């Protein structure tokens, strides 16, 4: 079965769950326990659970929007329907830049972790070659029918979550420790809350794939809520186990989950964590690149990017030129080191995307002659309040960098639309 755009609808419920998991769980969980414990000590799992609850209204808003769309684009499609082409382009452009920079950073992090753990470090040339190899593998997974890519991501989800769940379960006997019995290095709850929030978002990447899902209106909301709840519980379990067993205030720990695993299983624990990290980062890179190629496809379909970027491969039914462009862009950022500047705007860009989607929900409901339910208004207000608070914590340079990115994107859009003969928004 194909969507109106020609993409094949081959991704089922499990595939969508895998997309959400790989969008949420990257490299962050493997550094998160120590970073939080530094700031709030034994209250770390409580902070994670509280942030999970605080984010539910935002997840609800995104799920409600997902239930009304069956085409590719995710936030780009939602904002297009609500506010028109200019706003949709800005949202898509910001997502492309921020996700590409995050993917580039993850590729470097994977090389750092592997060589730091296995080889004790290596030359710049070998590190660059390993970074390129990781990205090439992620591109290769994108150059497959979406159904097969989703199948690989299901495997990646199992391989990344299974060791984390195993570690948490084996640490269960150690979890009866009162939160105030594990002191923080420096009490900084606000910083801990921000860290927890930024570590638990990223689920919106999967929404971009609606045009390749068999039943996105039904399955996407279910996948969002199920995976978000599962990941929140796993994060809290790992953090509680770490605080109760191996956290030592004042002692730096660059690989807290590995430290915990080695304490529980010896050298086998280190192998488990290495395995989980590799799959975790690879899966995250793959879904990031997958989402970016579909954003480019959706934006080209709207006439906002040069013609041809949305061309579908006749045999694979994937936007092959968009996949190639994403691969080149991400490899260039990763190998040049230029992704650092773009990474600065990723936080501001994500908040802008969330706020755009929150504002889009009532507009989309009204355009479709559906009233906004009371529960939806409650979620809209709560989600907007959370995003507004996070914006107040962002640095001015984040927004200046985002403004520069938006300006460059709008210039590109204007040129592309002129070449294609489009006028207006």
């Amino acid at each position: 079965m194909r969507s109106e755009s020609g993409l094949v609808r081959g991704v089922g419920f499990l595939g969508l769950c895998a997309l959400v998991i790989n969008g949420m769980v990257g490299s962050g969980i493997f550094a998160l326990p120590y970073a939080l414990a530094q700031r709030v000590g034994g209250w770390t799992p409580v902070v994670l659970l509280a942030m999970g609850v605080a984010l539910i209204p935002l997840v609800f808003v995104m799920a409600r929007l997902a239930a009304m769309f069956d085409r590719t684009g995710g936030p780009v499609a939602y904002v297009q329907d609500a506010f028109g082409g200019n706003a949709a382009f800005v949202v898509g452009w910001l997502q492309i830049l921020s996700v590409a920079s995050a993917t580039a950073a993850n590729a470097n992090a994977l090389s750092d972790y592997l060589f730091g753990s296995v080889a004790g470090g290596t030359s710049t040339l070998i590190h660059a070659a390993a970074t390129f190899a990781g990205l090439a593998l992620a591109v290769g997974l994108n150059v497959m029918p979406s159904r097969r890519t989703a199948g690989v991501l299901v495997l990646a989800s199992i391989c990344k979550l299974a060791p984390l769940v195993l570690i948490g379960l084996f640490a269960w006997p150690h979890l009866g420790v009162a939160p105030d019995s594990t002191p923080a290095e420096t009490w900084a709850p606000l910083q801990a809350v921000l860290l927890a929030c930024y570590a638990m978002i990223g689920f919106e990447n999967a929404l971009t794939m609606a045009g390749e899902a068999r039943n996105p209106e039904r399955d996407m909301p279910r996948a969002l809520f199920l995976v978000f709840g599962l990941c929140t519980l796993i994060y809290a379990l790992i953090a509680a186990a770490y605080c109760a067993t191996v956290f030592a205030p004042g002692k730096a720990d660059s690989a807290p989950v590995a430290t915990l695993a080695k304490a529980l299983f010896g050298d086998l624990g280190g192998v488990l964590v290495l395995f989980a990290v590799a799959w975790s980062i690879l899966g995250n890179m793959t879904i990031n690149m997958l989402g970016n190629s579909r954003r480019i496809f959706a934006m080209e379909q709207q006439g906002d990017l040069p013609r041809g970027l949305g061309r579908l491969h006749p045999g694979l039914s994937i936007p092959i030129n968009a996949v190639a462009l994403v691969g080149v862009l991400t490899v260039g950022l990763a190998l040049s080191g230029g992704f650092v500047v773009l990474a600065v705007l990723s936080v501001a860009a994500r908040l802008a995307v969330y706020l755009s989607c929150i504002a889009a929900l009532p507009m989309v409901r009204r355009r479709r002659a559906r009233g906004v339910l009371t529960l939806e208004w409650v979620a809209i207000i709560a989600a907007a309040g959370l995003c507004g608070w996070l914006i107040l914590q962002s640095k001015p340079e984040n927004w200046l960098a985002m403004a520069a990115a938006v300006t460059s994107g709008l210039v590109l859009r204007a040129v592309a639309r002129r070449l294609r003969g489009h006028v207006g928004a």
Side-chain angles (χ1 to χ4, degrees):
M1 181 174 62
R2 293 179 182 268
S3 64
E4 293 180 1
S5 60
L7 296 169
V8 175
R9 294 194 179 277
V11 182
F13 175 69
L14 287 179
L16 291 178
C17 287
L19 294 175
V20 180
I21 289 171
N22 285 284
M24 279 189 68
V25 185
S27 57
I29 179 57
F30 297 96
L32 187 64
Y34 174 69
L36 288 177
Q38 275 184 302
R39 293 161 174 83
V40 291
W43 292 97
T44 293
V46 177
V47 169
L48 285 167
L49 290 173
M51 182 50 61
V53 172
L55 284 168
I56 287 176
L58 177 59
V59 177
F60 178 80
V61 168
M62 303 300 268
R64 295 299 286 176
L65 285 165
M68 291 186 281
F69 286 81
D70 65 352
R71 69 178 190 267
T72 296
V76 175
Y78 311 156
V79 176
Q80 165 76 23
D81 269 26
F83 304 115
N86 282 325
F89 178 83
V90 169
V91 166
W93 184 249
L94 288 175
Q95 282 191 293
I96 288 170
L97 293 180
S98 61
V99 170
S101 65
T103 308
N106 270 347
N108 278 279
L110 179 59
S111 295
D112 290 338
Y113 190 92
L114 291 177
F115 285 115
S117 300
V118 178
T122 188
S123 69
T124 301
L125 180 61
I126 295 177
H127 181 277
T131 300
F132 177 81
L135 286 170
L137 180 56
V139 171
L141 293 174
N142 275 263
V143 187
M144 296 191 303
S146 58
R147 176 176 57 82
R148 292 185 181 178
T149 303
V152 172
L153 291 175
V154 169
L155 176 61
S157 300
I158 295 171
C159 291
K160 72 166 66 175
L161 291 181
L164 294 176
V165 173
L166 183 64
I167 291 168
L169 291 177
F170 269 78
W172 192 265
H174 305 278
L175 299 185
V177 178
D180 55 4
S181 66
T182 305
E185 291 181 18
T186 303
W187 184 253
L190 177 59
Q191 293 180 17
V193 167
L194 291 172
L195 281 171
C197 179
Y198 295 136
M200 295 173 69
I201 54 181
F203 50 82
E204 74 279 359
N205 278 333
L207 302 175
T208 310
M209 299 292 294
E212 292 163 88
R214 293 181 194 135
N215 194 338
E217 296 102 323
R218 183 196 67 188
D219 291 342
M220 192 72 82
R222 293 165 58 207
L224 277 178
F225 274 109
L226 176 63
V227 171
F228 183 81
L230 176 64
C231 288
T232 298
L233 291 175
I234 291 174
Y235 279 23
L237 182 62
I238 292 293
Y242 178 75
C243 291
T245 56
V246 295
F247 174 63
K251 182 180 179 181
D253 189 353
S254 60
V257 177
T259 302
L260 174 61
K262 287 180 180 178
L264 295 173
F265 307 120
D267 290 340
L268 175 61
V271 175
L272 275 175
V273 172
L274 180 65
F275 180 75
V277 167
W279 274 105
S280 184
I281 297 179
L282 178 61
N284 187 259
M285 288 162 52
T286 301
I287 181 58
N288 283 350
M289 297 175 82
L290 195 67
N292 259 355
S293 67
R294 272 43 175 192
R295 285 182 196 102
I296 290 173
F297 174 80
M299 292 161 72
E300 190 273 348
Q301 293 281 295
Q302 294 169 189
D304 292 334
L305 290 175
R307 196 185 305 276
L309 286 177
R311 184 179 73 85
L312 296 178
H313 187 282
L316 301 173
S317 296
I318 62 170
I320 190 66
N321 290 342
V323 171
L325 176 62
V326 168
V328 171
L329 173 64
T330 310
V331 168
L333 289 171
L335 298 183
S336 70
F339 66 87
V340 174
V341 175
L342 289 173
V344 171
L345 65 83
S346 64
V347 171
R350 182 160 280 165
L351 290 173
V353 170
Y354 288 153
L355 281 174
S356 298
C357 291
I358 292 166
L361 178 56
M363 297 293 293
V364 171
R365 295 282 291 180
R366 287 168 181 163
R367 285 179 180 272
R368 301 187 180 204
R370 303 176 184 176
V372 183
L373 304 176
T374 301
L375 184 59
E376 290 174 336
W377 276 123
V378 171
I380 287 169
I381 293 169
L386 176 63
C387 289
W389 178 76
L390 292 172
I391 285 172
L392 293 177
Q393 315 308 315
S394 300
K395 298 179 180 179
E397 53 264 34
N398 290 27
W399 297 98
L400 290 174
M402 189 178 73
V406 168
T407 301
S408 66
L410 289 175
V411 170
L412 174 62
R413 179 179 187 260
V415 172
R417 291 181 73 81
R418 186 174 182 84
L419 290 175
R420 297 180 64 147
H422 288 282
V423 294

